[in-house]
Amino acid sequence: MMETRLWHPVALAASVGAAPLAVTLLEQPLVLWRDAAGRVQAWADRCPHRGARLSLGRVQDGHLECPYHGWQFEPGGRCVAVPALPAFQPPATHCATSHGCREAHGLVWVRLVCDGEDPGLPAFPAEDDAGLRKMNCGPYDVAASAPRIVENFLDMAHFSFVHEGWLGLRARPEIEPHAVQDTPRGLLATGCKAWQPRSNLHAMAAALVEYSYEVTDPYCALLTKVPEAGSTAVAHWRESIGLFICPLTPETSRVWFRLAVADFESPDEKLAAFQHTIFTQDQPVLESQSPKRLPLDPQAERHAASDKVSMAYRRALQRRGVRFGVL
Ligand code: FES
Ligand code: CO
């Protein structure tokens, strides 16, 4: 399935208000706006009349008005008024290009091409767990391809270096054996363990933290952390983090993290600050990687047995025929 037929996150749902919002997905300029029913509309950011950017227009009486000649478009994209010709009834062909649009996980999701079966959103089971608080961090605009960012998220061998003192220690860099399996949509890795000095906001002491990773979509990934049975870790360490990436261009991305944590006390800013610290440790290394597109040719980069999850991810991209952001 080509990437244009999958759902991708494009904006925080809360950022789509009364004014049209310009965003980009897979190099396509889009305009988001909220109709009178409160539903988000996602259209090509181009007026069918003379090509002006609809995102420069305004929302009036439940219609999006083009900034150039004031043509008005209703939800779904049909043109309902041409002000220069008040008596004119625009035909159905005078319409803006509208795309599939949903709100979920605090984000607006867009599917550019809606023919065929709906593939569904990326997996994030913690969403339905009332015992976990959800919040989003981001967006982060990153000069790296979406696949490089996913691979970084799935990579445990960098913890002891990039996140030294936080998610890893230089003195304990070894990766223990873990299980990775290919799944129809991506991969599942379980039993991933890391010795973490400060695995989250509340960590009082270092602990062996067990992870699982799941990938169901090319540019998203899910991490679930559980303390090892019998460790002294307290229950509130259980957490899930969704990595949701909007591929802007093949070499630039907009990134959100959705946190699902058992901590209902800490203020949002504190939770976001921890995630911010970790990601801003990753960002310069990610942006330094060359080539920016992830090479799928197995000979293009050297691999070690500790790269099992990354290799499964590359196989998944190959299996799914992903082209955007890969070499
Ligand atoms: Fe949009 Fe003319 S270009 S109304
Ligand atoms: Co990292």
Side-chain angles (χ1 to χ4, degrees):
M1 184 178 279
M2 286 296 292
E3 301 86 271
T4 49
R5 290 186 163 77
L6 300 174
W7 290 101
H8 301 281
V10 294
L12 284 172
S15 70
V16 187
L21 179 71
V23 297
T24 301
L25 170 62
L26 297 166
E27 290 181 306
Q28 305 208 28
L30 304 176
V31 56
L32 306 180
W33 63 284
R34 214 173 266 281
D35 65 26
R39 290 176 52 109
V40 180
Q41 301 281 320
W43 298 356
D45 194 5
R46 185 180 178 280
C47 179
H49 179 220
R50 290 295 179 265
R53 285 212 180 230
L54 292 169
S55 56
L56 298 176
R58 57 182 188 165
V59 178
Q60 182 103 358
D61 302 326
H63 298 147
L64 181 59
E65 183 189 270
C66 177
Y68 199 178
H69 311 96
W71 286 24
Q72 286 176 24
F73 302 89
E74 68 176 8
R78 204 172 72 88
C79 179
V80 290
V82 172
L85 286 175
F88 177 60
Q89 298 249 319
T93 47
H94 282 39
C95 64
T97 305
S98 125
H99 301 294
C101 188
R102 288 176 64 178
E103 278 185 65
H105 314 323
L107 296 165
V108 175
W109 296 77
V110 170
R111 189 176 176 220
L112 292 173
V113 180
C114 286
D115 57 6
E117 198 188 329
D118 183 340
L121 295 175
F124 193 60
E127 195 66 48
D128 303 319
D129 185 336
L132 294 174
R133 160 188 177 188
K134 322 305 180 308
M135 67 166 280
N136 287 352
C137 303
Y140 291 95
D141 283 334
V142 186
S145 65
R148 287 279 195 198
I149 300 169
V150 173
E151 206 174 78
N152 165 266
F153 188 79
L154 301 174
D155 179 280
M156 302 185 82
H158 78 283
F159 289 170
S160 297
F161 303 93
V162 176
H163 307 297
E164 147 95 305
W166 293 76
L167 305 183
L169 279 177
R170 292 183 71 92
R172 294 198 60 168
E174 63 281 352
I175 302 295
E176 293 185 38
H178 50 276
V180 188
Q181 68 191 82
D182 293 348
T183 60
R185 286 183 64 153
L187 67 89
L188 181 65
T190 51
C192 310
K193 295 194 188 88
W195 183 258
Q196 304 205 323
R198 228 190 132 179
S199 80
N200 70 15
L201 198 55
H202 298 281
M204 305 299 286
L208 192 65
V209 180
E210 186 174 329
Y211 283 61
S212 69
Y213 292 109
E214 187 174 8
V215 174
T216 57
D217 282 81
Y219 312 126
C220 298
L222 168 66
L223 139 64
T224 304
K225 275 191 206 182
V226 281
E228 203 181 24
S231 83
T232 53
V234 284
H236 69 226
W237 282 29
R238 179 174 67 119
E239 61 185 50
S240 254
I241 303 176
L243 167 73
F244 298 130
I245 307 177
C246 176
L248 301 173
T249 73
E251 301 188 355
T252 62
S253 308
R254 184 163 290 178
V255 177
W256 295 270
F257 296 95
R258 183 142 181 94
L259 310 184
V261 294
D263 173 3
F264 284 82
E265 274 96 58
S266 303
D268 283 3
E269 304 77 59
K270 268 187 105 175
L271 286 169
F274 184 87
Q275 194 61 29
H276 182 81
T277 300
I278 300 298
F279 190 65
T280 49
Q281 290 167 345
D282 284 313
Q283 191 167 356
V285 180
L286 265 174
E287 293 185 337
S288 80
Q289 283 179 283
S290 163
K292 287 199 175 292
R293 299 180 202 212
L294 188 79
L296 292 187
D297 174 358
Q299 302 306 319
E301 294 183 327
R302 307 278 80 86
H303 316 288
S306 44
D307 298 320
K308 265 190 352 192
V309 187
S310 135
M311 298 310 290
Y313 175 60
R314 293 183 184 205
R315 281 196 301 276
L317 294 179
Q318 203 123 40
R319 240 181 7 257
R320 299 199 63 180
V322 170
R323 308 230 184 300
F324 201 83
V326 300
L327 266 183

